[in-house]
Amino acid sequence: MGEAHSDEFCHCQGCAGKYTLLRDEENPRLAIFERRLPCCGCGIGWSSFLLGFLCPLIWYFAATLYCCKYYNKDPRERPGLAASAVAALIFTVLATIALSVALIICVYK
């Protein structure tokens, strides 16, 4: 984060001007993301990744969000959405192999 200027103080009622505002001079969008992420603070991506172990369809939902560049709204979501997309890809490959082997076993019995 950038340096704070001494003449810029917070004017909210909670802190009554005791704190200095912090900004990033190079990228002012970073100040937007100081709020908490949804889903208990870990974001949609990581929540989808964890819940995908219970219901793998959630990984495909997160992969769709990743492909549609949902992370442009909040860049902190990108790693979780990418992890869910990779998990969806791995699950698809493993499910395809398992179904192929099951089909071969059924045909040759």
Side-chain angles (χ1 to χ4, degrees):
M1 290 290 208
E3 295 181 19
H5 300 288
S6 60
D7 59 343
E8 295 180 5
F9 291 101
C10 180
H11 298 293
C12 67
Q13 294 177 353
C15 66
K18 297 176 191 172
Y19 300 101
T20 306
L21 292 175
L22 295 176
R23 290 190 305 182
D24 189 356
E25 299 297 330
E26 295 174 10
N27 190 357
R29 280 188 66 199
L30 290 178
I32 299 170
F33 304 116
E34 293 178 6
R35 62 181 167 75
R36 198 172 158 199
L37 287 171
C39 300
C40 299
C42 66
I44 295 170
W46 287 115
S47 297
S48 299
F49 179 74
L50 294 174
L51 290 173
F53 289 103
L54 298 175
C55 178
L57 293 177
I58 296 173
W59 285 331
Y60 294 105
F61 169 72
T64 304
L65 289 177
Y66 182 74
C67 291
C68 294
K69 297 187 178 186
Y70 176 79
Y71 54 82
N72 281 342
K73 291 183 181 180
D74 192 344
R76 298 175 297 172
E77 292 282 358
R78 189 175 192 160
L81 292 173
S84 296
V86 169
L89 180 66
I90 291 171
F91 179 77
T92 302
V93 169
L94 292 177
T96 304
I97 291 171
L99 289 174
S100 300
V101 169
L103 182 63
I104 290 171
I105 290 172
C106 288
V107 167
Y108 288 111
K109 266 194 168 181

